[in-house]
Amino acid sequence: MSTPAEHKLPQRSATMSSSLTRRTSMSDDEAIPQTDSSETTNLLLERLRAWKHMCGNLEDYVSVTAKVAKSQSKDHEKILKTVSEPLKESHHFSASDGGITGLFENMRNNSQGMVNMHLESEQNLKGSVLPTLERLHKEIKNKSKELQSGAVKGAKAVEKARQLTQKHIELLGHHSASHGAAAGNKIEQQHDPYILKRGINYRLNKQVTEENNHRNDILAVQNSFAQFEAHVLQTIQGALEQFFQLMGGQLDRQRAMYADILGTAQRIPPDFEWMNFCVSNDATLVNPDSPPRSFASITFPNMDHRSTQPLIEGSLERRSRAMIKGYSTGYYVVTPARYLHEFKDTDDFRKDPTPELSLYLPDCVVGAIDGVKFNVKGKDVSSGKVGNAFHTTTELSFKAHSARDAEKWWTVIKDCTRAPTPASAGATSPTATSPDGSTSQNQPPVYAENEKSAAVASSSTATAPAPAADKAIDAKDHAAASPTAGLSRTASTASHFHTSPGGSAADKL
C-alpha cells in the first residue's frame, strides 16, 4: 500500500479576517443591520448537499461495480458512466489534484482501464462497502435536516425582533418630528417620545439577544463542520479500503488500479477541503474572532432628540390614597411633552418601561409649595382612552427629600402647566447669579388665573380636616421649613434627582 504524500495545508489569509471585521463593524452600530440572518445557513446547507451528492456518486459507483461483477467487459462501461458526470456543486471542492475533484478524476481514469475485465465477489461488495456509504449518506442528510430546522427557527426569531424594533423606531421618528413642529400640541401618553425611546431600548435589547443567540448557534454548527467533514472523508477512506481488499483477488493490474484509487483518497488531509472552502468563502462565513454585538455601541435615529430628554427626574414620595399606608417612594419624570410620569425604577431592560401614573400637566392644577410638600390635582391618563374614561380627578400629595428639591420640582411642574409661547417653546430660561455666588435660573412669570387656582387649592387644603398621623407629619415638616412666609432658596442639600442639560427653567437651581 502506498504511503500518502504530505501536503501543505492552505491557510486562511489575513484578508478574510480583515474583510469580516470591516463588515461586522459596519453593521454592529446599526439598530437594524443590513445583513441576511440566513445567509450563512444557506451556504452551509448547500455544502451539505454537495457532500450528500458526492456520497451518492460513490454509492452508485460501488453498486454498479457489484452488479457487473459477473458481467463481461461491456458491462464495465456502466461503472465509468457513474463517475463520468461532473460533481454536483463542484465549486465547493478544490480544483487541485489533492482533493475530492482529483479523486474522482483518478476514479474515471482507472475505470477506463477496467473496461475489459470482469469483477468478482458481487455479494461481498453489496454486504460491506455499500452499507457503509449508505449510512454515511444518511448521516449527511440528518446533519442537513438538523441545521435547517434549528437555523430557520432562529432566523425567524431574529427577523421578528428586528421588525418590532424598526416599527418603534419609525414611530419615534414620526412623533419626534410632530413634537418639534408643534410643541404646544398635546401628545398622547403612549406616543410620548420619551416613552417611545425607552420602548425601543427594550425591544432593541431583545433583538440583540436573539441575534447573538442565533449567531452562537450558527457559529457552533460552522465550527463542527471541520470535524464532520473529517469524519466523512475517513468513512470514505475506510469504505474504499474495504473495496480494495475485496478486489485484491483479481489480476495484478486490477489490484493496482484500485490501489491507486485508495491511495488518492488517503492522501486527502481531513481538513483539506474545509480549509479551501473557508478561503474561497471568507466573505460569507462567520468570523469566529469577531465580537458579539454590544447594546452600548448601537445608535438609532432621534435617540438624543430633545423631546426624549427629561426636564427633571428623580425619586419623590407620594402619599397613598389609602390614608393608612402613608408615603411610598417612586421614580418620577417630567418630560418635554409636559407629562409627569411615575415609574417603579429606571430599568429599561427587565421589562417594558410602562408608567404607573401619568399626569398631563396642562390639565392639572398645582397647589402651593409647603416646605418639602406640594400637591398636584389632575387625572391619571396612563391607562389609555378606555381606562381613562373611568378615572376621576384626584389630588396627589408629593414630598421631596429636601425643601430645595421640592422647590425645583414645583417650579418645573408649574412651568409645564402654562401654555408655551412660540418664542419660548423649546428654549431654556435665562440664569441669574444669587448673592452667595451660585447660579440659578429665573422663576417663570406668574399668571393671575393660575395663581388664583393655586390659592383656591391651597385654601381648600388648609380647611380640610386631616387625620392625626398626617397632622403630626405636617407639623414636623413645618418645623423643618423656613419660618418666613416665602420659600428659602439658600438651603443646600444632597440632590436625589438630576435634570437634563436642556430642561425647564428650574433645572439648575
Side-chain angles (χ1 to χ4, degrees):
M1 183 181 299
S2 60
T3 303
E6 295 184 356
H7 285 262
K8 184 176 180 181
L9 298 180
Q11 302 294 328
R12 301 185 74 174
S13 62
T15 57
M16 177 183 65
S17 298
S18 61
S19 63
L20 283 175
T21 302
R22 286 194 300 270
R23 192 181 76 163
T24 303
S25 61
M26 286 188 296
S27 61
D28 280 356
D29 294 337
E30 300 174 356
I32 309 298
Q34 301 299 322
T35 57
D36 186 1
S37 58
S38 60
E39 183 180 10
T40 303
T41 304
N42 293 335
L43 177 65
L44 296 179
L45 286 173
E46 185 180 3
R47 181 164 178 80
L48 283 176
R49 284 195 298 270
W51 280 111
K52 181 180 66 175
H53 292 145
M54 182 277 301
C55 185
N57 283 114
L58 281 180
E59 288 178 69
D60 293 342
Y61 180 83
V62 176
S63 177
V64 176
T65 302
K67 289 180 180 180
V68 301
K70 57 183 179 181
S71 300
Q72 298 176 354
S73 60
K74 185 177 180 179
D75 294 334
H76 281 271
E77 295 179 358
K78 298 179 181 179
I79 300 175
L80 180 60
K81 291 181 180 179
T82 62
V83 293
S84 61
E85 296 293 334
L87 287 173
K88 295 182 179 179
E89 293 91 12
S90 60
H91 61 280
H92 278 273
F93 301 106
S94 174
S96 63
D97 295 336
I100 293 297
T101 302
L103 170 63
F104 274 79
E105 182 64 26
N106 182 272
M107 292 170 66
R108 283 190 287 269
N109 294 335
N110 284 290
S111 297
Q112 184 65 45
M114 296 180 190
V115 171
N116 298 321
M117 294 182 178
H118 63 86
L119 301 177
E120 298 178 351
S121 307
E122 179 185 10
Q123 296 300 322
N124 291 333
L125 288 174
K126 290 183 178 180
S128 58
V129 180
L130 191 57
T132 301
L133 295 176
E134 290 174 346
R135 288 193 297 270
L136 179 61
H137 201 151
K138 290 182 179 179
E139 288 181 25
I140 298 174
K141 283 185 177 180
N142 293 336
K143 182 78 172 178
S144 179
K145 290 180 180 179
E146 178 183 355
L147 172 60
Q148 191 170 14
S149 61
V152 169
K153 182 178 180 181
K156 287 183 178 179
V158 170
E159 291 303 321
K160 182 178 179 181
R162 287 179 177 178
Q163 290 175 3
L164 289 175
T165 304
Q166 181 65 33
K167 178 181 178 181
H168 282 75
I169 289 177
E170 293 174 357
L171 195 61
L172 175 60
H174 173 72
H175 290 286
S176 297
S178 299
H179 180 274
N185 293 341
K186 177 179 178 180
I187 300 177
E188 295 295 334
Q189 180 269 337
Q190 64 272 19
H191 295 156
D192 189 340
Y194 175 85
I195 302 298
L196 293 176
K197 175 191 174 184
R198 294 186 64 177
I200 291 174
N201 292 343
Y202 169 76
R203 288 162 180 84
L204 188 57
N205 182 66
K206 290 185 66 177
Q207 173 193 321
V208 171
T209 301
E210 292 291 348
E211 289 173 344
N212 289 337
N213 289 340
H214 181 59
R215 175 189 180 277
N216 292 336
D217 292 341
I218 297 301
L219 188 58
V221 174
Q222 178 179 310
N223 292 337
S224 69
F225 260 60
Q227 182 179 359
F228 179 75
E229 292 192 4
H231 164 69
V232 172
L233 283 173
Q234 290 169 0
T235 304
I236 294 172
Q237 291 168 358
L240 289 177
E241 185 174 5
Q242 286 181 310
F243 186 81
F244 167 72
Q245 292 175 354
L246 292 174
M247 304 306 297
Q250 301 300 319
L251 297 174
D252 293 342
R253 181 185 176 187
Q254 181 180 4
R255 183 182 296 108
M257 291 180 181
Y258 283 120
D260 189 27
I261 294 175
L262 173 63
T264 303
Q266 288 181 334
R267 283 192 293 271
I268 303 176
D271 57 351
F272 177 82
E273 290 289 348
W274 175 249
M275 295 302 296
N276 280 278
F277 173 75
C278 290
V279 172
S280 60
N281 295 277
D282 58 344
T284 305
L285 295 172
V286 175
N287 185 3
D289 298 327
S290 63
R293 298 190 71 194
S294 173
F295 174 81
S297 63
I298 296 177
T299 60
F300 53 86
N302 298 299
M303 65 180 298
D304 295 323
H305 192 273
R306 61 186 181 85
S307 64
T308 67
Q309 308 302 318
L311 300 179
I312 188 171
E313 60 180 346
S315 60
L316 289 174
E317 295 183 41
R318 179 169 65 85
R319 186 164 58 190
S320 174
R321 297 173 184 176
M323 303 300 292
I324 60 174
K325 292 186 178 180
Y327 284 88
S328 59
T329 302
Y331 191 83
Y332 293 86
V333 180
V334 177
T335 69
R338 299 187 293 173
Y339 277 97
L340 172 62
H341 298 297
E342 176 188 348
F343 299 92
K344 288 186 177 180
D345 50 43
T346 59
D347 191 349
D348 289 345
F349 304 144
R350 187 176 69 254
K351 65 175 185 178
D352 196 354
T354 304
E356 303 291 329
L357 172 73
S358 294
L359 298 178
Y360 186 58
L361 295 177
D363 294 341
C364 298
V365 176
V366 182
I369 191 171
D370 184 9
V372 297
K373 297 180 180 180
F374 60 91
N375 297 337
V376 178
K377 186 176 182 180
K379 183 178 180 180
D380 182 11
V381 295
S382 63
S383 301
K385 293 184 177 179
V386 177
N388 293 342
F390 298 95
H391 289 177
T392 59
T393 301
T394 57
E395 185 170 2
L396 304 176
S397 299
F398 295 95
K399 184 168 67 173
H401 299 282
S402 66
R404 183 180 180 85
D405 292 352
E407 183 181 354
K408 291 182 178 182
W409 278 97
W410 183 89
T411 304
V412 173
I413 293 173
K414 187 70 175 178
D415 187 48
C416 287
T417 61
R418 303 184 177 100
T421 61
S424 61
T428 57
S429 300
T431 59
T433 304
S434 61
D436 59 357
S438 61
T439 60
S440 63
Q441 295 183 344
N442 294 337
Q443 294 296 313
V446 177
Y447 292 89
E449 60 272 17
N450 287 341
E451 290 301 320
K452 182 178 180 180
S453 300
V456 172
S458 176
S459 175
S460 61
T461 303
T463 57
D470 290 344
K471 290 181 178 180
I473 295 176
D474 292 342
K476 182 178 179 180
D477 293 335
H478 280 296
S482 174
T484 62
L487 295 174
S488 175
R489 301 178 183 268
T490 59
S492 176
T493 58
S495 176
H496 292 265
F497 59 90
H498 63 276
T499 60
S500 62
S504 71
D507 290 351
K508 299 181 179 180
L509 282 176

